Amino acid sequence: MKKEKRSYQCSGRGPWIAARIGRGIVIGLAFVLVFGIFVRLLWNWLMPGIFSLREITYGQAVGMIILARILLGLGGRGMRPGFAGRWHTHGPWAWGGPCSKEDAANGEIADWGRYDEWWNAEGREAFKKYIGGHGK
């Protein structure tokens, strides 16, 4: 018996959100680490000569980036307008389609696990026949 793959299409946003949060943390840390080097180099190149300030360390440069982010909110886009409302007011069944409650009750979602099998057996030929009949 062939084991069906679990589809996350209709199982909620749990794995998707966890992956996105993890990716955001990794990208944020990489940005701070690399950007800290540039801030330190620019500060130590410009500020002592222009304003007679002392040179800073890498840790101080990273601290300045974090402080600027907290105080000024530099680069923060937040959520796009209307984006938060879509996610907070709708459940996983809100838009119907392949994840509607009726489809789940009728077992139609489980049937999608056999799509590849059907496509390889007869779908490709049916599609070519369909396209051939439309003048392409």
Side-chain angles (χ1 to χ4, degrees):
M1 178 175 203
K2 184 179 175 184
K3 184 178 178 183
E4 292 187 28
K5 297 178 194 174
R6 178 178 168 92
S7 171
Y8 290 105
Q9 182 179 12
C10 301
S11 65
R13 296 182 304 268
W16 178 77
I17 289 176
R20 188 159 181 171
I21 289 171
R23 193 173 344 141
I25 289 171
V26 168
I27 290 171
L29 286 175
F31 174 77
V32 168
L33 292 175
V34 171
F35 198 59
I37 293 170
F38 291 118
V39 168
R40 183 182 62 86
L41 290 173
L42 283 172
W43 180 280
N44 291 341
W45 177 48
L46 295 173
M47 295 303 182
I50 296 173
F51 299 109
S52 298
L53 298 173
R54 66 183 181 97
E55 292 186 354
I56 62 172
T57 64
Y58 174 76
Q60 290 171 328
V62 171
M64 287 176 54
I65 294 169
I66 294 170
L67 184 62
R69 175 75 173 123
I70 292 170
L71 295 178
L72 304 174
L74 296 176
R77 292 181 305 231
M79 295 182 109
R80 296 185 306 267
F83 185 75
R86 278 200 305 264
W87 288 106
H88 294 294
T89 59
H90 298 301
W93 310 103
W95 294 287
C99 295
S100 69
K101 288 181 181 177
E102 295 167 7
D103 290 343
N106 295 332
E108 292 181 23
I109 292 173
D111 293 341
W112 276 98
R114 304 180 125 191
Y115 175 78
D116 291 333
E117 180 183 329
W118 170 82
W119 179 259
N120 291 330
E122 62 185 81
R124 187 169 284 131
E125 290 302 319
F127 182 70
K128 287 179 183 177
K129 185 177 176 183
Y130 172 78
I131 293 297
H134 284 81
K136 180 99 175 148

